[in-house]
Amino acid sequence: MTSYRRSTLACVTETLLGLKRRARRMARELAATHPDAHCELDHSSPLELAVATLLSAQTTDVRVNETTPKLFARYPTAADYAAADRAELEGLLKPLGFFRAKSDALMKLGQALVDLHAGVVPNTMEALVALPGIGRKTANVILGNAFDVPGLTVDTHFQRLVTRFGWTTETDPVKIEVAVAGLIEKRDWTMFSHRVIFHGRRVCHARKPACGACTITRSCPSYGLGPKDPAVAAKLLKGPRVAELARAAGAPVPEGATSEEGASEEPAL
């Protein structure tokens, strides 16, 4: 049994079955809230996704997507990364920050793919995590979005939200992945990850979540961490669907909000 505290209740004790039911209810609510959830790293192949995911560390998906068109055109194969001129590669990656380390990571990844997999990105967790620069988080992104193999992507948004949801008290990403895997059906893991990340970027922000303009407050033990007033909370909403998010939560639409607003640039990885 687990215990959690929310502003409107004293201490609530929850059985594992109750937790699973609440988790799946919240997952359904997130699916309805974020029908546009998807991988926000532009790619057209497993290699492009692997590269984009490695580059997304310490920056935003928006900046990665601004950088990768030229990168992908210049280096279409793993062998091209392995044989890259370091100065040229660093020049392309400079806008992302940490460009020397990222250049080194891409060159090593390209060489490993050539040496171990004939230049092809493998489609198993075991093979992916054996590659330089790829851990479980990156591997799950690749498996789920390039190969349709269900996976949970435990980035900073995901970790923050499932903790706020009261689903786990674990802090290690692998242990969080295992805990959430026991609550959500496997077939939903990849899309669930996208929806949680969307919610973290657009609604449940790190410093001030938009609690009063959130669609899952009835099931969330952390309701009240951010402003409860719907009008105040709605002004905290981000992304291209602010008006729709506000309406879905029964909050007033902020003045000037349209469906054409720019996407949040809050980094996730």
Side-chain angles (χ1 to χ4, degrees):
M1 301 177 75
T2 58
S3 297
Y4 61 83
R5 183 176 298 276
R6 62 181 300 169
S7 58
T8 55
L9 300 174
C11 187
V12 178
T13 301
E14 188 174 47
T15 65
L16 179 58
L17 177 59
L19 173 58
K20 182 175 289 189
R21 287 174 173 169
R22 181 169 65 86
R24 294 188 179 186
R25 180 171 64 250
M26 294 175 80
R28 291 192 296 271
E29 291 166 344
L30 287 172
T33 301
H34 303 289
D36 57 332
H38 62 280
C39 178
E40 293 189 285
L41 292 169
D42 295 339
H43 65 280
S44 61
S45 70
L47 177 62
E48 289 185 357
L49 180 57
V51 168
T53 306
L54 283 178
L55 295 179
S56 66
Q58 305 300 316
T59 188
T60 67
D61 291 352
V62 171
R63 289 181 184 141
V64 172
N65 291 338
E66 290 172 348
T67 301
T68 50
K70 289 183 180 179
L71 185 73
F72 293 161
R74 179 67 181 85
Y75 306 102
T77 70
D80 292 321
Y81 287 104
D85 176 82
R86 183 178 293 274
E88 182 182 6
L89 182 57
E90 288 181 355
L92 288 172
L93 299 183
K94 198 166 186 177
L96 299 178
F98 302 97
F99 59 92
R100 292 187 180 89
K102 290 181 179 182
S103 296
D104 189 59
L106 291 188
M107 293 174 71
K108 288 180 178 178
L109 175 62
Q111 191 63 60
L113 288 173
V114 169
D115 292 344
L116 301 175
H117 303 285
V120 176
V121 176
N123 62 356
T124 68
M125 175 65 72
E126 181 180 15
L128 284 168
V129 297
L131 294 170
I134 294 185
R136 285 191 65 88
K137 177 175 66 179
T138 299
N140 275 323
V141 172
I142 297 168
L143 289 172
N145 297 283
F147 297 110
D148 292 324
V149 176
L152 292 166
T153 303
V154 184
D155 71 353
T156 55
H157 296 296
F158 191 100
Q159 181 169 343
R160 178 177 75 251
L161 266 64
V162 298
T163 299
R164 285 179 176 175
F165 294 167
W167 290 9
T168 181
T169 58
E170 300 289 354
T171 56
D172 177 76
V174 176
K175 292 181 178 179
I176 291 171
E177 182 184 338
V178 172
V180 176
L183 301 175
I184 302 299
E185 291 190 75
K186 184 175 182 178
R187 66 175 184 240
D188 297 328
W189 287 354
T190 299
M191 284 307 304
F192 173 74
S193 297
H194 292 319
R195 291 160 186 155
V196 170
I197 291 169
F198 265 51
H199 202 67
R201 287 175 170 169
R202 300 178 175 193
V203 182
C204 195
H205 313 301
R207 295 182 180 176
K208 189 181 290 187
C211 289
C214 177
T215 57
I216 59 174
T217 55
R218 289 181 298 177
S219 301
C220 182
S222 296
Y223 173 66
L225 282 180
K228 297 180 183 179
D229 182 272
V232 174
K235 293 179 181 179
L236 299 174
L237 297 172
K238 296 181 180 180
R241 297 181 59 250
V242 167
E244 292 94 328
L245 291 173
R247 292 190 191 100
V253 176
E255 185 177 353
T258 72
S259 59
E260 300 301 321
E261 295 180 32
S264 166
E265 288 202 9
E266 187 178 2
L269 301 173

Short mmCIF file of all heavy atoms in Angstrom, two decimals, residues 43-81:
data_model
loop_
_atom_site.label_atom_id
_atom_site.label_comp_id
_atom_site.label_asym_id
_atom_site.label_seq_id
_atom_site.Cartn_x
_atom_site.Cartn_y
_atom_site.Cartn_z
N HIS A 43 12.79 13.30 -37.88
CA HIS A 43 13.66 12.23 -38.37
C HIS A 43 12.92 11.46 -39.45
O HIS A 43 11.70 11.48 -39.51
CB HIS A 43 14.06 11.28 -37.24
CG HIS A 43 12.89 10.53 -36.67
ND1 HIS A 43 12.02 11.09 -35.74
CD2 HIS A 43 12.43 9.27 -36.90
CE1 HIS A 43 11.08 10.21 -35.43
NE2 HIS A 43 11.32 9.09 -36.12
N SER A 44 13.69 10.77 -40.29
CA SER A 44 13.08 9.93 -41.32
C SER A 44 13.69 8.53 -41.33
O SER A 44 13.39 7.74 -42.23
CB SER A 44 13.24 10.57 -42.71
OG SER A 44 14.61 10.72 -43.03
N SER A 45 14.53 8.23 -40.35
CA SER A 45 15.15 6.91 -40.29
C SER A 45 15.62 6.65 -38.86
O SER A 45 15.76 7.60 -38.07
CB SER A 45 16.36 6.83 -41.23
OG SER A 45 17.41 7.63 -40.74
N PRO A 46 15.87 5.39 -38.49
CA PRO A 46 16.40 5.10 -37.15
C PRO A 46 17.71 5.82 -36.87
O PRO A 46 17.93 6.29 -35.74
CB PRO A 46 16.58 3.57 -37.17
CG PRO A 46 15.56 3.09 -38.15
CD PRO A 46 15.53 4.14 -39.23
N LEU A 47 18.59 5.92 -37.87
CA LEU A 47 19.86 6.61 -37.66
C LEU A 47 19.63 8.08 -37.35
O LEU A 47 20.23 8.64 -36.43
CB LEU A 47 20.76 6.47 -38.89
CG LEU A 47 22.09 7.22 -38.82
CD1 LEU A 47 22.95 6.71 -37.66
CD2 LEU A 47 22.85 7.11 -40.14
N GLU A 48 18.75 8.73 -38.11
CA GLU A 48 18.47 10.15 -37.86
C GLU A 48 17.88 10.35 -36.47
O GLU A 48 18.22 11.32 -35.78
CB GLU A 48 17.53 10.69 -38.94
CG GLU A 48 18.19 10.83 -40.30
CD GLU A 48 17.28 11.49 -41.32
OE1 GLU A 48 16.12 11.80 -40.97
OE2 GLU A 48 17.73 11.69 -42.47
N LEU A 49 17.02 9.44 -36.04
CA LEU A 49 16.44 9.57 -34.70
C LEU A 49 17.50 9.35 -33.63
O LEU A 49 17.53 10.08 -32.62
CB LEU A 49 15.30 8.56 -34.52
CG LEU A 49 14.61 8.59 -33.15
CD1 LEU A 49 14.06 9.98 -32.84
CD2 LEU A 49 13.49 7.56 -33.10
N ALA A 50 18.38 8.39 -33.82
CA ALA A 50 19.46 8.15 -32.85
C ALA A 50 20.34 9.39 -32.73
O ALA A 50 20.69 9.83 -31.62
CB ALA A 50 20.28 6.94 -33.28
N VAL A 51 20.69 9.98 -33.86
CA VAL A 51 21.53 11.18 -33.85
C VAL A 51 20.81 12.34 -33.18
O VAL A 51 21.36 13.03 -32.31
CB VAL A 51 21.93 11.55 -35.30
CG1 VAL A 51 22.55 12.95 -35.35
CG2 VAL A 51 22.89 10.51 -35.86
N ALA A 52 19.56 12.57 -33.56
CA ALA A 52 18.80 13.69 -32.98
C ALA A 52 18.63 13.53 -31.48
O ALA A 52 18.71 14.51 -30.72
CB ALA A 52 17.43 13.79 -33.66
N THR A 53 18.40 12.31 -31.02
CA THR A 53 18.22 12.07 -29.60
C THR A 53 19.51 12.33 -28.83
O THR A 53 19.50 12.94 -27.75
CB THR A 53 17.73 10.63 -29.34
OG1 THR A 53 16.56 10.39 -30.12
CG2 THR A 53 17.38 10.44 -27.88
N LEU A 54 20.64 11.89 -29.37
CA LEU A 54 21.92 12.19 -28.73
C LEU A 54 22.16 13.70 -28.65
O LEU A 54 22.65 14.20 -27.65
CB LEU A 54 23.06 11.53 -29.51
CG LEU A 54 23.27 10.03 -29.33
CD1 LEU A 54 24.40 9.55 -30.21
CD2 LEU A 54 23.58 9.71 -27.87
N LEU A 55 21.78 14.41 -29.70
CA LEU A 55 22.02 15.86 -29.74
C LEU A 55 21.09 16.64 -28.82
O LEU A 55 21.37 17.79 -28.48
CB LEU A 55 21.85 16.37 -31.17
CG LEU A 55 22.85 15.85 -32.21
CD1 LEU A 55 22.54 16.44 -33.57
CD2 LEU A 55 24.28 16.20 -31.79
N SER A 56 19.98 16.03 -28.42
CA SER A 56 18.97 16.76 -27.63
C SER A 56 19.36 16.97 -26.18
O SER A 56 18.70 17.73 -25.47
CB SER A 56 17.62 16.03 -27.71
OG SER A 56 17.70 14.77 -27.06
N ALA A 57 20.44 16.35 -25.73
CA ALA A 57 20.88 16.55 -24.35
C ALA A 57 21.29 18.01 -24.13
O ALA A 57 22.03 18.59 -24.93
CB ALA A 57 22.06 15.62 -24.04
N GLN A 58 20.79 18.60 -23.07
CA GLN A 58 21.15 19.97 -22.67
C GLN A 58 20.75 21.03 -23.69
O GLN A 58 21.34 22.11 -23.73
CB GLN A 58 22.65 20.06 -22.39
CG GLN A 58 23.17 19.09 -21.37
CD GLN A 58 22.50 19.24 -20.02
OE1 GLN A 58 22.32 20.35 -19.54
NE2 GLN A 58 22.12 18.13 -19.38
N THR A 59 19.74 20.73 -24.50
CA THR A 59 19.22 21.74 -25.41
C THR A 59 17.75 21.41 -25.66
O THR A 59 17.18 20.57 -24.97
CB THR A 59 20.03 21.79 -26.72
OG1 THR A 59 19.60 22.92 -27.49
CG2 THR A 59 19.88 20.51 -27.53
N THR A 60 17.14 22.05 -26.62
CA THR A 60 15.72 21.84 -26.88
C THR A 60 15.51 21.11 -28.20
O THR A 60 16.35 21.16 -29.11
CB THR A 60 14.96 23.17 -26.95
OG1 THR A 60 15.41 23.89 -28.11
CG2 THR A 60 15.22 24.01 -25.70
N ASP A 61 14.36 20.44 -28.31
CA ASP A 61 14.02 19.77 -29.56
C ASP A 61 13.93 20.78 -30.71
O ASP A 61 14.29 20.47 -31.85
CB ASP A 61 12.68 19.04 -29.42
CG ASP A 61 12.77 17.84 -28.48
OD1 ASP A 61 13.89 17.49 -28.06
OD2 ASP A 61 11.71 17.26 -28.17
N VAL A 62 13.45 21.97 -30.42
CA VAL A 62 13.33 23.00 -31.45
C VAL A 62 14.69 23.32 -32.05
O VAL A 62 14.86 23.37 -33.27
CB VAL A 62 12.69 24.28 -30.87
CG1 VAL A 62 12.76 25.42 -31.89
CG2 VAL A 62 11.24 24.02 -30.48
N ARG A 63 15.69 23.49 -31.20
CA ARG A 63 17.03 23.81 -31.70
C ARG A 63 17.66 22.64 -32.42
O ARG A 63 18.38 22.82 -33.41
CB ARG A 63 17.91 24.28 -30.53
CG ARG A 63 17.49 25.65 -30.02
CD ARG A 63 18.34 26.16 -28.90
NE ARG A 63 17.81 27.42 -28.41
CZ ARG A 63 17.78 27.77 -27.12
NH1 ARG A 63 18.22 26.93 -26.21
NH2 ARG A 63 17.30 28.94 -26.75
N VAL A 64 17.40 21.44 -31.93
CA VAL A 64 17.91 20.26 -32.62
C VAL A 64 17.31 20.19 -34.03
O VAL A 64 18.02 19.97 -35.02
CB VAL A 64 17.58 18.97 -31.85
CG1 VAL A 64 17.94 17.73 -32.68
CG2 VAL A 64 18.35 18.93 -30.52
N ASN A 65 16.00 20.42 -34.13
CA ASN A 65 15.34 20.35 -35.44
C ASN A 65 15.80 21.45 -36.38
O ASN A 65 15.71 21.30 -37.61
CB ASN A 65 13.82 20.42 -35.26
CG ASN A 65 13.26 19.17 -34.61
OD1 ASN A 65 13.86 18.10 -34.65
ND2 ASN A 65 12.09 19.30 -34.00
N GLU A 66 16.28 22.54 -35.84
CA GLU A 66 16.83 23.61 -36.68
C GLU A 66 18.21 23.24 -37.24
O GLU A 66 18.62 23.72 -38.28
CB GLU A 66 16.93 24.91 -35.88
CG GLU A 66 15.59 25.53 -35.53
CD GLU A 66 15.71 26.71 -34.58
OE1 GLU A 66 16.81 26.90 -33.99
OE2 GLU A 66 14.72 27.42 -34.39
N THR A 67 18.89 22.37 -36.50
CA THR A 67 20.27 22.01 -36.84
C THR A 67 20.38 20.77 -37.72
O THR A 67 21.25 20.67 -38.58
CB THR A 67 21.07 21.77 -35.55
OG1 THR A 67 21.05 22.96 -34.75
CG2 THR A 67 22.52 21.38 -35.84
N THR A 68 19.48 19.81 -37.52
CA THR A 68 19.65 18.51 -38.16
C THR A 68 19.43 18.46 -39.68
O THR A 68 20.02 17.57 -40.32
CB THR A 68 18.76 17.45 -37.49
OG1 THR A 68 17.40 17.93 -37.39
CG2 THR A 68 19.28 17.11 -36.11
N PRO A 69 18.63 19.31 -40.31
CA PRO A 69 18.51 19.19 -41.76
C PRO A 69 19.85 19.23 -42.50
O PRO A 69 20.13 18.39 -43.36
CB PRO A 69 17.60 20.36 -42.14
CG PRO A 69 16.73 20.55 -40.94
CD PRO A 69 17.65 20.31 -39.77
N LYS A 70 20.70 20.20 -42.16
CA LYS A 70 22.02 20.27 -42.79
C LYS A 70 22.89 19.09 -42.38
O LYS A 70 23.65 18.55 -43.19
CB LYS A 70 22.71 21.59 -42.41
CG LYS A 70 22.10 22.82 -43.06
CD LYS A 70 22.89 24.07 -42.69
CE LYS A 70 22.29 25.31 -43.34
NZ LYS A 70 23.05 26.54 -42.96
N LEU A 71 22.77 18.71 -41.12
CA LEU A 71 23.57 17.59 -40.61
C LEU A 71 23.21 16.30 -41.32
O LEU A 71 24.09 15.55 -41.77
CB LEU A 71 23.34 17.44 -39.10
CG LEU A 71 24.19 16.39 -38.39
CD1 LEU A 71 25.63 16.88 -38.25
CD2 LEU A 71 23.60 16.09 -37.01
N PHE A 72 21.92 16.02 -41.43
CA PHE A 72 21.47 14.78 -42.08
C PHE A 72 21.84 14.75 -43.56
O PHE A 72 22.15 13.70 -44.11
CB PHE A 72 19.96 14.61 -41.92
CG PHE A 72 19.50 14.38 -40.50
CD1 PHE A 72 18.18 14.61 -40.14
CD2 PHE A 72 20.38 13.95 -39.52
CE1 PHE A 72 17.74 14.39 -38.84
CE2 PHE A 72 19.96 13.74 -38.22
CZ PHE A 72 18.64 13.96 -37.88
N ALA A 73 21.80 15.91 -44.20
CA ALA A 73 22.16 15.97 -45.62
C ALA A 73 23.65 15.72 -45.82
O ALA A 73 24.07 15.08 -46.79
CB ALA A 73 21.77 17.33 -46.20
N ARG A 74 24.44 16.22 -44.87
CA ARG A 74 25.91 16.07 -44.98
C ARG A 74 26.38 14.68 -44.58
O ARG A 74 27.35 14.16 -45.14
CB ARG A 74 26.59 17.13 -44.09
CG ARG A 74 28.11 17.06 -44.11
CD ARG A 74 28.65 17.43 -45.47
NE ARG A 74 30.11 17.34 -45.50
CZ ARG A 74 30.79 16.22 -45.74
NH1 ARG A 74 30.13 15.08 -45.96
NH2 ARG A 74 32.12 16.23 -45.75
N TYR A 75 25.68 14.04 -43.62
CA TYR A 75 26.10 12.73 -43.11
C TYR A 75 24.92 11.76 -43.16
O TYR A 75 24.27 11.47 -42.14
CB TYR A 75 26.59 12.85 -41.68
CG TYR A 75 27.68 13.89 -41.48
CD1 TYR A 75 27.38 15.14 -40.93
CD2 TYR A 75 28.99 13.64 -41.86
CE1 TYR A 75 28.36 16.10 -40.76
CE2 TYR A 75 29.99 14.59 -41.69
CZ TYR A 75 29.67 15.82 -41.14
OH TYR A 75 30.65 16.78 -41.00
N PRO A 76 24.60 11.22 -44.32
CA PRO A 76 23.43 10.34 -44.44
C PRO A 76 23.62 8.92 -43.90
O PRO A 76 22.64 8.22 -43.69
CB PRO A 76 23.17 10.31 -45.95
CG PRO A 76 24.50 10.59 -46.56
CD PRO A 76 25.20 11.55 -45.62
N THR A 77 24.86 8.50 -43.65
CA THR A 77 25.09 7.13 -43.18
C THR A 77 25.97 7.13 -41.93
O THR A 77 26.65 8.11 -41.62
CB THR A 77 25.80 6.28 -44.26
OG1 THR A 77 27.16 6.74 -44.41
CG2 THR A 77 25.07 6.38 -45.59
N ALA A 78 25.97 6.00 -41.25
CA ALA A 78 26.83 5.84 -40.07
C ALA A 78 28.30 5.98 -40.45
O ALA A 78 29.10 6.56 -39.71
CB ALA A 78 26.57 4.48 -39.43
N ALA A 79 28.65 5.47 -41.63
CA ALA A 79 30.04 5.57 -42.08
C ALA A 79 30.45 7.03 -42.28
O ALA A 79 31.62 7.39 -42.06
CB ALA A 79 30.21 4.79 -43.39
N ASP A 80 29.52 7.87 -42.68
CA ASP A 80 29.82 9.28 -42.86
C ASP A 80 30.17 9.94 -41.53
O ASP A 80 31.08 10.78 -41.47
CB ASP A 80 28.64 10.00 -43.50
CG ASP A 80 28.41 9.56 -44.94
OD1 ASP A 80 29.40 9.37 -45.66
OD2 ASP A 80 27.23 9.40 -45.32
N TYR A 81 29.46 9.59 -40.46
CA TYR A 81 29.79 10.13 -39.14
C TYR A 81 31.14 9.60 -38.68
O TYR A 81 31.95 10.34 -38.11
CB TYR A 81 28.71 9.76 -38.11
CG TYR A 81 27.42 10.52 -38.29
CD1 TYR A 81 26.31 9.92 -38.85
CD2 TYR A 81 27.34 11.85 -37.89
CE1 TYR A 81 25.12 10.63 -39.02
CE2 TYR A 81 26.16 12.57 -38.07
CZ TYR A 81 25.06 11.95 -38.62
OH TYR A 81 23.90 12.66 -38.80
#
